[in-house]
Amino acid sequence: MSHSPVEAPVNPGATTAAPAHAAPTHTTPAQTVPAGSELRRGATSRQRGGLPRLDARQLVAPLALAAILFVFTLLSDQFLRADNLAAVLNQSALLALAAVAMTLVVRAGGIDLSLGVAIDLSALAAAALIADGYYAWVAIAGGLVFGAVVGLVNALLIVGLRIPPFLATLSVWFVGTSVQQLLTGGGAPIYLSGPRVPAEFAFLGGTGLVAGVPVAIAAALAVAVLGWALLETTRFGRALTAAGEQPRAAAIAGRRVGALTFSAYVIASLLAAVAGVLLAARTNGFVPASGQLYVLDAIGAVFIGATLSRIGRPSVPGTLVGVLIFALLANGMNLIGLSFFWQGLGRGVALLLILLAGVVLAREGAGGPLRRLLGPARR
Amino acid sequence: MSTTAPERQGPGAGAPAAAPARSGAQPRPIRTSGWASYAGYGVVALVLALFAVLSPVFTDPANVASIINQATVTAIAGMGLAVVVIVGGDDVVEGGIDLSVGATAAVAGSVAAVLVSAGLGPAPAVLAALGVALLIGTANGVAVGLGLRPLLATLATMGIATSLDLVVSQNMKIALEGQPFTWLRDAGGLGVSGAVVVLLVVAAAFIWVFHRTRLGVNAYAVGQNPTAARVAGLNPARYRFASYLVSSGLAGVAGILLASRLSAAVPGIGTQILLDIILVAYMSTVFSRRLVITIGGTLLAALFVTALSNGMTLAGIASQWVGAVKGALILAVLTVVVLRSKAGNR
């Protein structure tokens, strides 16, 4: 653990407030951030919170969820049925895993565009090892190792070479996509024929039930609970949050910011690897670039979830709300027979509106930002 | 952070704004001198020389012309993205970024192709295509103006534009023929296409504006230190809004050029070109002594990246490697930038 109690009192603002969740952003920015950058980011939503009242923005995501439920219940009589909702949960399990992973990284002040590569490479490794006749546990372990390698590379680039997370993980996305094509001979899918799949692997893919729940849902729930506990109840989680929101303050307070960030990327890619192994088991094989689809939705879910927090901080429960919004929206649009072509529009508009409502309501009202846009100067 | 006096000269003085607190303790890049300033050019020359040795066809005038033709799309769209990053600041999470450029280019190409094949004249078709592109830019500008992070706002509009592209094209390839599109594809004189003429005009205009006029200095000032720019009487919000319009407009132009070159609007091409566009815009920093994104550098980077793909194909390297090399290239570029800025800060 990076927390060092001896040095902690160096910055009383960051440490005494740490147990309260809203801590680091409440410390006066001027003390902890160099001049220039604190003023520059004063206008972002992150520091806008901290007011004692309950923000209207916190209601945006739940209201959106309710609106989606309401609208599709009206439009389709199959929507609000137990088996359909169970199917939605089952379909959203992998996205939930990826989104919890993304939550961790965003909490640590970064972003990971290469999560899809971690999903893909772990699915590829697992499927290839099963196809070669290895035991299921070898395939699962191999998948997790492949995924973790992606995280290690990210962490080395971001922490070691100090490359900005967005560009570092974008490069890993490029390289990883290329690696997939090289390993699959130009992008040929791997299909596993039924009899060759070990029972344990098939168990992961959907035949298995853990306490009456499909394995994927159980895994997503377990990871969500663990992720929540890690971020919100442990010293590691508090340190990680501080390192993400106020790296300089966290460093002054004696946290090892580099190690914390490093661990965030590795844990995230491991979680993505779990999703990848489940994906391979579920689809009985591997289709190149299938993991990429989860990345953008995961980012969207994390930031929808962040609107649930008064200070715009991503959290696991919020992320799960975001995942549910995406999953229910996709399911509902399918049920009412909306063409695939239009579905991206629906998702994009929903994402944009929820996020916009979040930032606008986090301010004093809709009038302020408009005036600012048209007025002589930004506040 | 220890800073030296010349970095604090205010807007346009050449010092990019303080490294954002969230992305770690990065030193601020400053003016560098000596061999490091030319490292970018050196690497480019080395790689090009390598390809010239590996493949005699590489330096053939016809091949050079085809490289320039192919570079037009990423160069023009890349300049648009460069404008957004210049004005929004180069922190990729909080600063300026436009992820919707690729999808905007794709939808513009589709709109033009659909309207032309529906019998509309080329002028209204092109205007409609640019109009759709500018609408997406307006959405970006408004969302960012309201306070949404550019990364998220343009992520959402990227999804919207990708979907619009599918809706407009019905996921089918739509032929785009007839003047002026064949002119853009073929005849620009001197063995280059009309698209190259468009590129030269656009590049000359933007290089002039951003590197020779007060407007350009102001744009850099807004991106590098919005507070100082505001104190100096500029309105950063307006600059930001305009930058997203410019970016989408240029993406629309690039999309029409792309559809002209392929003689058709190809659905789903947006995500393919997005990564190249981001690559060339950020790669422009290696051509800058001050390690900032420049319009001219973007043009050079687009030519280099296209030459790289071309050279690898000519040298008989499997296409699967191209992505890996591009990824490695971004990393090399960024490492050079980070190392150089560290060295300069001591």
Side-chain angles (χ1 to χ4, degrees), chain A residues 41 109 174 178 247 341 345 375 378, chain B residues 20-21 163 230 235 275 320 324:
Chain A
R41 67 195 44 241
F174 265 116
S178 195
F341 300 158
L345 196 74
R378 208 176 165 91
Chain B
S163 177
R230 189 177 52 75
N235 181 353
L275 296 176
Q320 290 96 303

Side-chain angles (χ1 to χ4, degrees), chain B residues 75-167:
Chain B
I76 289 183
M79 286 180 206
L81 180 58
V83 170
V84 166
V85 182
I86 287 170
V87 172
D90 55 4
D91 173 27
V92 268
V93 176
E94 305 276 350
I97 182 84
D98 188 352
L99 296 179
S100 69
V101 278
T104 303
V107 78
S110 294
V111 166
V114 163
L115 291 181
V116 167
S117 62
L120 209 65
V126 165
L127 283 180
L130 294 181
V132 171
L134 288 176
L135 269 183
I136 296 167
T138 310
N140 287 333
V142 169
V144 172
L146 287 176
L148 197 56
R149 292 180 186 185
L151 184 73
L152 293 174
T154 58
L155 181 72
T157 51
M158 177 175 91
I160 293 172
T162 307
S163 177
L164 270 183
D165 182 30
L166 287 173
V167 170

Side-chain angles (χ1 to χ4, degrees), chain A residues 176-205:
Chain A
T177 309
S178 195
V179 167
Q180 277 176 54
Q181 290 189 335
L182 290 169
L183 290 180
T184 54
I190 298 173
Y191 295 114
L192 301 174
S193 51
R196 294 194 59 181
V197 178
E200 297 89 342
F201 202 64
F203 177 84
L204 292 181

Side-chain angles (χ1 to χ4, degrees), chain A residues 280-346:
Chain A
R282 176 178 285 184
T283 55
N284 248 336
F286 169 69
V287 178
S290 46
Q292 316 289 10
L293 306 173
Y294 295 101
V295 179
L296 301 182
D297 282 0
I299 295 176
V302 167
F303 285 96
I304 286 178
T307 63
L308 278 172
S309 145
R310 196 153 41 82
I311 55 170
R313 172 184 292 169
S315 68
V316 171
T319 297
L320 293 183
V321 172
V323 168
L324 270 186
I325 286 179
F326 275 130
L328 289 173
L329 196 61
N331 176 267
M333 289 192 297
N334 272 332
L335 282 183
I336 61 171
L338 193 65
S339 144
F340 170 74
F341 300 158
W342 288 100
Q343 290 193 8
L345 196 74

